[in-house]
Amino acid sequence: MFANSFLDVEGPSYQNLDQYLEDENEDVVRAIELSLQESKGKETYIGDLEFPQNDEVEKVAQVLEESTLSSADLSTEGCELKWWKLLKELNPSVHTSKGKSWWRKSSKRCNTPVCDVCEEQICSEWLRCTYWGQSVCKKHTSDGTPWCCACSRFKIGDIRYITLSDGRQLCPDCCYTAVMDPEDCKPLLDEVHRFFKGLNMKIRYYIPILLVDQEEIIRIHKKSILGSTIYEKFELDAVTYVSKSIQRGENVEVVKEVEQLLPGRKVRSVLLLYGFPKLFIGSTLAHELMHAWMRVQGYRGLSLNIAEGLSQVMAHKWLEWQSFTGDDYMKAASEKTQFLRNLKEFLKYGIEKRHSEAYGHGFREAKWAVERYGLRYTLEHIARTGKLPE
């Protein structure tokens, strides 16, 4: 099964973000950023700055001293720290120089942060995502404010968000390339197969690729995930899939049909959660087809770290493989093309910085092996030993 910080196994959920709390050193780094920001009267980003270790305490103290903020100032701003950390895995902190922010800024200029949703000064806990340039009051995570299930951006102003049949919502940018029904999925499937063929890993085995909604995913797996590979031992006879989608205003309705799964096959089907952008679905499909490829090739008994780590490597490689140069419908839409480039980096960063053991640590171990020894040798070594080369 596949996921990253934005392709999460449990799916994006602001009710379950406490699991992403990190160590207290992050508070120090963020406090430095906030203190510098207020003292200089402008935004300062830490980007990918590493958290300070014990031998860096002296440097931290010096920066705090130079910021000229009192302990009372840091305590006041400290209300923001907890919620900034809670959202960090869903919305990684990446320097906004990678692309122009889609979110408009409030015209208010003051030291107190302003919420981009309600445009009111924030006096309590709030969320900060430097990648998309958003600051949001904590209350908007539970007051019904729409947020995009793909890029995690909150709805601002009169921007029209689309509501999918299962309740998920999409921003207009993500909706532009969303895979809504099998007709949208066919060219993407051909693209992913071409990607595997380019790596000398052509998939000759017939595998039904089915788009499903969140209700069907939860029925099968008892939790919300973005995709799954159904093997021969999985006790599932049929899948209710999305055969057609119809948009009516700001809502999407779907027509469903039932697919009977053939018994006795090594890989019976791959399920994908419909409605995500092409980049999102494509990376999920690359992940799941890597699971399928390994099963067809006879890989057995692999640890979760190796199986998921290699599949995450393929998802990451597929995103790197995307250039958008061949998309005719994008040639005259430079702003949308730039958004796709930003979204691609957003998804790649989410895979790279994932915290979980299998999807995060497993990915980084597999990526190191592939970069050092090459994909072919790494796979051959795993086939022989069941372990990554060291």
Side-chain angles (χ1 to χ4, degrees):
M1 298 177 188
F2 171 51
N4 60 29
S5 62
F6 318 100
L7 311 172
D8 204 323
V9 175
E10 289 80 20
S13 172
Y14 288 105
Q15 285 72 41
N16 296 320
L17 292 177
D18 286 326
Q19 62 183 304
Y20 301 132
L21 285 173
E22 300 177 4
D23 57 35
E24 295 179 354
N25 281 338
E26 186 173 346
D27 285 350
V28 177
V29 175
R30 188 60 176 154
I32 294 171
E33 180 190 1
L34 291 170
S35 57
L36 288 174
Q37 177 179 331
E38 186 163 7
S39 64
K40 295 180 180 179
K42 62 182 181 180
E43 289 190 307
T44 303
Y45 296 92
I46 62 172
D48 296 330
L49 182 65
E50 294 182 355
F51 304 142
Q53 304 300 320
N54 290 333
D55 59 352
E56 297 179 285
V57 172
E58 186 175 350
K59 294 180 182 178
V60 173
Q62 181 179 353
V63 175
L64 286 173
E65 182 178 356
E66 292 174 354
S67 70
T68 68
L69 284 180
S70 66
S71 58
D73 292 324
L74 290 176
S75 175
T76 301
E77 291 291 335
C79 294
E80 184 267 348
L81 299 180
K82 176 181 178 181
W83 287 93
W84 180 84
K85 290 192 300 182
L86 290 178
L87 193 62
K88 185 176 181 183
E89 183 156 334
L90 273 179
N91 285 321
S93 177
V94 182
H95 200 293
T96 53
S97 63
K98 289 190 175 181
K100 183 177 179 181
S101 174
W102 181 81
W103 299 102
R104 60 187 175 87
K105 295 290 185 180
S106 171
S107 59
K108 298 178 182 180
R109 302 297 297 175
C110 57
N111 289 334
T112 304
V114 175
C115 175
D116 286 314
V117 174
C118 61
E119 296 190 343
E120 297 179 358
Q121 292 187 5
I122 301 172
C123 301
S124 59
E125 295 170 321
W126 55 294
L127 307 171
R128 174 65 176 156
C129 172
T130 59
Y131 191 96
W132 299 114
Q134 249 196 330
S135 297
V136 181
C137 299
K138 171 195 169 184
K139 65 182 180 182
H140 297 307
T141 65
S142 57
D143 67 358
T145 300
W147 60 276
C148 181
C149 64
C151 67
S152 300
R153 298 180 298 182
F154 283 82
K155 181 180 183 296
I156 291 179
D158 57 358
I159 296 172
R160 295 178 59 190
Y161 272 42
I162 303 301
T163 301
L164 301 178
S165 61
D166 52 18
R168 290 175 292 133
Q169 294 176 311
L170 283 175
C171 70
D173 284 330
C174 288
C175 187
Y176 189 78
T177 62
V179 177
M180 294 292 191
D181 53 45
E183 290 302 315
D184 295 332
C185 195
K186 286 180 180 178
L188 181 58
L189 177 58
D190 292 339
E191 202 172 298
V192 177
H193 274 292
R194 190 165 64 251
F195 164 72
F196 272 82
K197 183 179 179 180
L199 296 172
N200 295 317
M201 298 171 63
K202 186 174 182 178
I203 301 174
R204 303 179 185 276
Y205 193 83
Y206 172 70
I207 303 172
I209 309 296
L210 302 175
L211 292 175
V212 297
D213 62 7
Q214 192 165 236
E215 295 174 356
E216 183 69 357
I217 283 284
I218 293 175
R219 180 187 75 83
I220 295 171
H221 294 285
K222 312 305 180 187
K223 58 183 178 181
S224 180
I225 56 178
L226 300 174
S228 68
T229 303
I230 306 300
Y231 301 124
E232 69 272 21
K233 294 183 179 180
F234 202 97
E235 295 182 0
L236 184 67
D237 296 325
V239 173
T240 302
Y241 70 97
V242 174
S243 62
K244 184 179 180 181
S245 66
I246 305 170
Q247 184 171 338
R248 303 185 188 280
E250 297 180 8
N251 298 299
V252 172
E253 300 175 1
V254 297
V255 177
K256 298 181 182 180
E257 296 182 17
V258 176
E259 174 85 2
Q260 297 294 329
L261 300 184
L262 296 176
R265 296 179 60 85
K266 293 180 180 179
V267 180
R268 303 176 68 191
S269 180
V270 167
L271 309 183
L272 301 170
L273 191 57
Y274 95 101
F276 283 104
K278 170 185 170 181
L279 283 170
F280 219 120
I281 296 287
S283 60
T284 305
L285 182 56
H287 178 110
E288 297 303 337
L289 285 184
M290 185 58 182
H291 281 304
W293 184 88
M294 288 190 292
R295 180 56 63 102
V296 171
Q297 294 297 319
Y299 288 75
R300 292 290 189 275
L302 298 181
S303 69
L304 190 63
N305 274 30
I306 292 178
E308 298 299 347
L310 281 173
S311 296
Q312 287 288 67
V313 166
M314 295 301 284
H316 192 271
K317 277 184 171 293
W318 186 85
L319 288 169
E320 290 181 329
W321 185 69
Q322 292 296 301
S323 63
F324 312 115
T325 56
D327 295 336
D328 294 335
Y329 67 94
M330 296 301 297
K331 289 181 180 179
S334 58
E335 291 184 3
K336 289 183 171 60
T337 303
Q338 184 58 51
F339 170 77
L340 288 181
R341 292 192 182 101
N342 293 341
L343 181 62
K344 180 177 79 169
E345 295 303 316
F346 182 67
L347 296 175
K348 284 172 55 182
Y349 189 86
I351 295 174
E352 294 163 359
K353 302 301 180 181
R354 186 73 183 271
H355 296 303
S356 71
E357 179 65 23
Y359 295 90
H361 186 61
F363 162 75
R364 287 181 284 274
E365 285 187 329
K367 185 173 184 290
W368 177 88
V370 170
E371 288 179 345
R372 180 167 183 177
Y373 299 105
L375 179 60
R376 176 57 55 186
Y377 177 84
T378 299
L379 291 173
E380 290 174 351
H381 187 276
I382 292 173
R384 292 194 310 270
T385 68
K387 300 179 180 179
L388 290 169
E390 297 180 356

